[in-house]
Structure formats: structure tokens, C-alpha cells
Amino acid sequence: MAGIVSCWAALLLLLAVELLLSAAGANWGTGGCAGLMALLVAYGFMRITRAPALATIFALGGLFWLSILLALGSLDSFTRTNFPVGNTLSSTARNPRTPPDTAP
């Protein structure tokens, strides 16, 4: 029980460090804190070192698919482009007093 409580306390400490780094604008440290948190969960709560080999394989497979999903999800924002339209809409009426449904 003491191991679980100490792991939980370490997770809370890393959360506080991550929040302080984010508030300070040092976003480079948040990924490191998240990685350490994942390792603490794997070794502290899941006890992956004492698990059977099949459980280790499934844990590694889950990390593999998570990395693929994160990579594919980030492709959307990396490949998105913004095309300028201009100052006016392309389908406006020539006479502003004419309703759009009766425009020539």
C-alpha cells in the first residue's frame, strides 16, 4: 500500500511541476513530465515488470498504436492551409437594396 501511495504522491508532484512549467511558458518540460507520469503509471500501478510477457507485449502494442493515432491526428493541423477569400463575398447582389432571391 505504501508503494501505491508514494506513486500517487509522485504523480501529484509531477502534475504540480507540469502546471508550473506551463504557467511559466516553458512548454518544453510538459512532455517530459507526461512521459515520467506514464512511466510511473506503468511501473507503479500496472507493475509491468512483474507482469507476464503477454501483458508486456500488449502494453507495448498499446503505446505503438497510441503513437500512430497521435501522429495521424497531428497531420490535420500540420497540413491545413488557409486560403484568403478577399474583402467581399462572391455571391452578393449587385444592388444592396435588392433581396438576394430576386437578384439578377
Side-chain angles (χ1 to χ4, degrees), residues 4-76:
I4 292 175
V5 172
S6 64
C7 183
W8 180 69
L11 283 172
L12 286 179
L13 179 70
L14 280 172
L15 175 66
V17 169
E18 186 175 9
L19 289 174
L20 288 174
L21 285 174
S22 294
N27 293 329
W28 50 267
T30 57
C33 285
L36 286 174
M37 286 178 172
L39 285 175
L40 270 174
V41 167
Y43 288 115
F45 292 118
M46 294 172 59
R47 296 181 184 145
I48 202 71
T49 54
R50 291 183 245 155
L54 187 61
T56 306
I57 290 171
F58 271 89
L60 291 174
L63 289 175
F64 173 71
W65 283 112
L66 178 67
S67 65
I68 286 178
L69 289 174
L70 289 175
L72 289 175
S74 65
L75 282 178
D76 179 47

